[in-house]
Amino acid sequence: MTTSSSAQVIPLHRDGGGPGRGQAPRPDRDAPVVLFPGGSAGTGPAAEQDRLGRLLTFLAHRLTGDFTVDEFGFDPELTETVVLPPLRLLYDRWFRVETHGVENLPLDGGALLVCNHSGVLPLDSVMTALAVHDNHPYHRHLRMLGADLVFKTPLLGTLARKSGQTLACAPDAERLLGAGELVGVWPEGFKGVGKPFSSRYRLQRFGRGGFVSAALRTGVPIVPVSIVGAEEIYPKLGDLKPLARLLGLPYFPVTPFFPLLGPLGAVPLPTKWHIEFGEPLPTDAYDPEAHEDPMLVFNLTDQVREAIQQMLYRRLSQRRSVFKG
Amino acid sequence: MPSNIVLVTGVAGELGGRLLTRLGNNPDLERVIGVDTSPPREEVLRRIGHAEFVRADIRNPLIAKIISTARVDTVVHASTTCHPAGPGRRMAIKEVNVIGTMRLLAACQRSPLVRKLVVKSTAAVYGASSRSPAVFTEDSELIPASSNGYAKDAVEMEGYVRGLARRRPDITVTTARLVNLIGPDVDTVLSRYFAMPVVPTVFGYDARLQLVHSSDALAVLEQATLHDRPGVFNVGGDGVLTLSQAIRRAGRVELPVARAMMPSVSRLLRGARVVDFSSDQVRLLNFGRVVDNTRLKKVFGYIPRWTTQDAFDDYVQGRGLRPVVDGQRLAGLATAVDGWRAKL
């Protein structure tokens, strides 16, 4: 792939040596002042004022079918106008997400973001996507890789495709990375998102390391990401396995409030979140056949997993309260 | 060595007939023979040039005789139909698709003069499911969406073609996997589908569609016939339309139908002889299918002139489809509101 040279990570902020280690959290919105028309007109004060105008333009485009989707079905206009704003409320008001180490995200070119998964419902993935979009100077979209269950489900599957997600499989991952996109993976999968409350912040097995081979093949850096706060939004105490089997779900969670309080129990607890983007791990130094070496792939997988686990522990040791951070 | 004597099967079909007129008007070719069980359409016969039409069934041993006596050196197999536009008899189509191909390939193998084979296949061989990759390359696994549909025929047919290529390595084999064909004057399943005022879709799914304009598909088949382009190639336009987007561009009304109800709807449409809505087709409307056309551009050397969106718009305009819901006017309203607001 051609991106190996452009995959070098250029730090955005030259101040304060290390990436967000123990220093005061950066203000969330220091990015939109940069005048780059290439970025999407998602946030920013000017756009806020003309929200109604944008909504009408959006409506006009919808009525005539005058918009473009990419080959994965990603519809940036829909994502920015309809999908992200309600999530932004959740992001700002409910979880009060703080991001650290945004400068570790490459300005352009592909990168693979590897994150810890938790929370019964994969809210952590959508919050991470929003964190990347709103904090990156160019407002890049995070293209996430999801399980096939997502794409099998009516409505959800369509929404997932339209908001830029695709099936977690090697061809799709390599295609996105080769095209220079930021790709997000949650290699723990269902094992991670559905783990019991007792094993919170303990990383599960990282799949079969397919994500590392994809990064090696395309020569893009791997950015470890730790998400703190998401693991407590639904404290999963039990699992109704027969019901899950009946509904074709990987698990059916029992939390202190669900299914006891019904739909009210499905409201996530307002924990305070921290999303930290760690230091990228370059993969372009390996020879092109490196992905054929399972030992190397396993070692890199463990290295990434270890990096995320360390970031989690560090962040947790600084946290004083689950709800206040 | 350039082609000289060309045999085209399936000339009563959409692409086959057009290809016959193109080749028939090419002075470099010594002889062009079109074969099918029914004669080509009127406009094809009018512009046929020096091409000839022979009424023959490719399932009949007669085909071998034609190939050997006419000293055919290039065979273009364009008679397979994966997406029959109108309701047809399933078994009859399968007969032509599979048994016809076997017979034709047997005849090709026997004739030492045959040097080139061009096969029109379909991108439906990749299938469509929630487990499929978003974009299929030529090396993707072939998993037809249903075990007894037309796509399965195409997979079997390609298997026989590979068998021939193995047994006769001296034959240049080109396989073109075409995505759904569209254009102002072609009659395909999608051209009938979008012509309905109310378009049934699968509730909760919005498939990605990739289309190829009929002129591009024709150009690919023609180039493969005239030049040597061995290999398998995906043939599709650039870009993607979602199903709902296409429906709005055509000004149709979308009618989401629960997935469980879809077989009844397709039976109804078949019964009314409107459009043949096979199970493969329903799967396509569920998950959609996009293929990578890089190999077509880089190796084959053909850049599709129509993007998916342009091809679809050309179809809508060329067909003169009157919008049922005028999206443009509604959109105009939205823009007008925006204008007033700006003045205030």
Side-chain angles (χ1 to χ4, degrees):
Chain A
M1 293 289 161
T2 52
T3 49
S4 55
S5 58
S6 60
Q8 289 292 327
V9 179
I10 307 140
L12 296 182
H13 307 276
R14 301 212 170 271
D15 54 327
R21 218 167 279 165
Q23 60 189 359
R26 262 165 223 298
D28 263 359
R29 298 285 170 79
D30 58 346
V33 286
V34 192
L35 288 171
F36 280 109
S40 38
T43 52
E48 295 274 319
Q49 282 169 14
D50 201 35
R51 191 180 282 168
L52 187 64
R54 282 198 304 126
L55 207 63
L56 284 167
T57 319
F58 166 74
L59 208 64
H61 287 167
R62 292 295 126 177
L63 285 167
T64 48
D66 187 16
F67 54 91
T68 42
V69 297
D70 76 355
E71 53 193 9
F72 297 90
F74 176 45
D75 185 342
E77 195 193 36
L78 181 91
T79 306
E80 276 160 20
T81 322
V82 178
V83 181
L84 293 186
L87 292 176
R88 203 166 277 135
L89 273 180
L90 204 63
Y91 180 94
D92 284 333
R93 303 281 158 79
W94 197 257
F95 296 130
R96 296 147 288 142
V97 183
E98 252 175 57
T99 52
H100 312 269
V102 179
E103 66 277 9
N104 286 326
L105 294 174
L107 274 186
D108 51 10
L112 186 67
L113 276 70
V114 183
C115 325
N116 60 312
H117 212 3
S118 62
V120 178
L121 287 182
L123 284 177
D124 51 354
S125 57
V126 290
M127 290 298 126
T128 310
L130 195 61
V132 171
H133 178 260
D134 284 3
N135 291 289
H136 194 280
Y138 296 164
H139 298 302
R140 296 185 67 181
H141 286 279
L142 180 67
R143 311 294 299 266
M144 296 179 282
L145 304 180
D148 62 325
L149 180 70
V150 172
F151 300 98
K152 209 157 62 184
T153 317
L155 298 174
L156 181 68
T158 302
L159 191 68
R161 278 226 173 274
K162 289 192 175 179
S163 57
Q165 304 182 42
T166 191
L167 183 74
C169 61
D172 282 16
E174 279 160 32
R175 203 174 175 78
L176 280 169
L177 290 172
E181 296 280 355
L182 288 178
V183 178
V185 282
W186 279 260
E188 293 171 85
F190 289 123
K191 298 186 301 298
V193 72
K195 67 188 163 197
F197 189 60
S198 53
S199 54
R200 62 191 178 278
Y201 300 113
R202 235 174 279 156
L203 289 181
Q204 307 294 305
R205 182 168 57 81
F206 261 26
R208 284 170 241 178
F211 69 95
V212 169
S213 332
L216 279 173
R217 271 169 189 265
T218 46
V220 301
I222 299 175
V223 181
V225 181
S226 74
I227 304 161
V228 167
E231 313 234 352
E232 286 106 352
I233 56 171
Y234 297 111
K236 184 177 163 232
L237 303 177
D239 187 354
L240 300 179
K241 285 222 168 66
L243 200 56
R245 214 167 297 136
L246 195 72
L247 297 172
L249 298 173
Y251 49 85
F252 191 91
V254 179
T255 73
F257 313 105
F258 185 84
L260 199 65
L261 300 183
L264 204 63
V267 176
L269 297 179
T271 53
K272 166 86 180 169
W273 287 31
H274 294 271
I275 298 180
E276 181 176 346
F277 303 100
E279 229 165 306
L281 192 85
T283 63
D284 51 354
Y286 299 99
D287 54 334
E289 297 302 308
H291 62 89
E292 303 276 16
D293 178 4
M295 204 59 203
L296 175 74
V297 171
F298 279 127
N299 284 345
L300 275 175
T301 310
D302 290 343
Q303 204 179 329
V304 175
R305 188 169 176 277
E306 201 49 40
I308 297 171
Q309 188 71 70
Q310 288 307 322
M311 282 159 70
L312 282 174
Y313 285 150
R314 202 164 46 231
R315 192 57 59 190
L316 282 170
S317 66
Q318 291 168 7
R319 186 170 75 159
R320 281 186 298 274
S321 151
V322 173
F323 297 104
K324 287 185 184 152
Chain B
M1 212 161 65
S3 303
N4 202 18
I5 302 170
V6 183
L7 178 104
V8 183
T9 69
V11 292
E14 287 291 336
L15 276 181
R18 275 155 218 256
L19 187 64
L20 191 68
T21 61
R22 285 273 195 105
L23 298 175
N25 291 297
N26 188 333
D28 296 341
L29 297 173
E30 191 185 314
R31 205 172 163 195
V32 181
I33 306 161
V35 175
D36 210 330
T37 47
S38 52
R41 286 170 308 157
E42 201 57 33
E43 73 249 36
V44 170
L45 285 174
R46 249 187 285 121
R47 291 179 294 154
I48 199 164
H50 72 275
E52 319 148 48
F53 170 67
V54 178
R55 191 168 191 152
D57 191 335
I58 53 170
R59 287 169 293 170
N60 197 299
L62 186 67
I63 196 75
K65 215 169 210 169
I66 298 172
I67 289 177
S68 58
T69 53
R71 307 179 65 78
V72 169
D73 54 36
T74 301
V75 175
V76 183
H77 186 31
S79 74
T80 49
T81 36
C82 178
H83 297 297
R89 279 175 24 252
R90 171 77 191 95
M91 282 324 289
I93 293 172
K94 188 190 169 82
E95 277 275 300
V96 176
N97 280 350
V98 180
I99 310 299
T101 303
M102 287 178 80
R103 286 278 189 173
L104 181 73
L105 296 183
C108 291
Q109 188 180 337
R110 186 56 78 76
S111 168
L113 291 169
V114 174
R115 290 182 300 101
K116 193 192 290 179
L117 174 70
V118 179
V119 179
K120 182 194 100 176
S121 183
T122 166
V125 291
Y126 299 119
S129 82
S130 58
R131 287 163 185 265
S132 305
V135 183
F136 295 100
T137 63
E138 285 84 352
D139 305 319
S140 300
E141 214 178 326
L142 306 186
I143 310 168
S146 60
S147 57
N148 56 356
Y150 302 116
K152 183 78 165 68
D153 294 356
V155 173
E156 283 173 15
M157 182 195 77
E158 283 200 13
Y160 295 127
V161 171
R162 274 195 301 277
L164 175 77
R166 199 178 57 241
R167 290 189 291 267
R168 281 282 307 269
D170 56 314
I171 298 185
T172 308
V173 180
T174 310
T175 307
R177 290 183 184 148
L178 272 65
V179 300
N180 287 73
L181 205 66
I182 201 107
D185 47 2
V186 287
D187 181 26
T188 63
V189 61
L190 284 188
S191 76
R192 288 188 181 207
Y193 178 68
F194 287 112
M196 291 189 287
V198 178
V199 180
T201 60
V202 188
F203 172 76
Y205 295 91
D206 197 4
R208 293 159 298 135
L209 293 179
Q210 187 184 23
L211 306 169
V212 62
H213 195 277
S214 49
S215 65
D216 276 330
L218 192 58
V220 168
L221 288 183
E222 189 186 15
Q223 284 199 14
T225 312
L226 299 177
H227 311 285
D228 282 0
R229 297 280 187 273
V232 181
F233 301 97
N234 288 332
V235 181
D238 288 323
V240 169
L241 277 175
T242 68
L243 185 60
S244 63
Q245 190 183 5
I247 290 171
R248 262 166 274 165
R249 285 184 95 88
R252 309 283 108 176
V253 180
E254 188 177 346
L255 176 71
V257 176
R259 201 173 162 188
M261 292 279 292
M262 220 49 201
S264 326
V265 173
S266 59
R267 248 196 314 276
L268 202 73
L269 290 173
R270 270 178 71 101
R273 308 195 69 77
V274 180
V275 60
D276 189 340
F277 228 50
S278 62
S279 54
D280 289 334
Q281 203 61 33
V282 175
R283 287 297 284 260
L284 177 71
L285 298 182
N286 249 321
F287 300 107
R289 187 184 305 124
V290 177
V291 299
D292 184 352
N293 60 9
T294 313
R295 201 188 280 184
L296 178 74
K297 289 177 180 165
K298 298 261 170 73
V299 181
F300 191 95
Y302 183 79
I303 314 279
R305 288 192 297 122
W306 298 78
T307 65
T308 294
Q309 213 164 81
D310 291 344
F312 189 76
D313 290 351
D314 186 45
Y315 151 76
V316 172
Q317 274 160 20
R319 270 288 178 101
L321 290 185
R322 294 263 303 276
V324 178
V325 179
D326 199 342
Q328 294 289 352
R329 265 172 66 189
L330 289 171
L333 210 66
T335 326
V337 170
D338 201 21
W340 295 333
R341 212 181 44 84
K343 271 184 216 150
L344 288 175

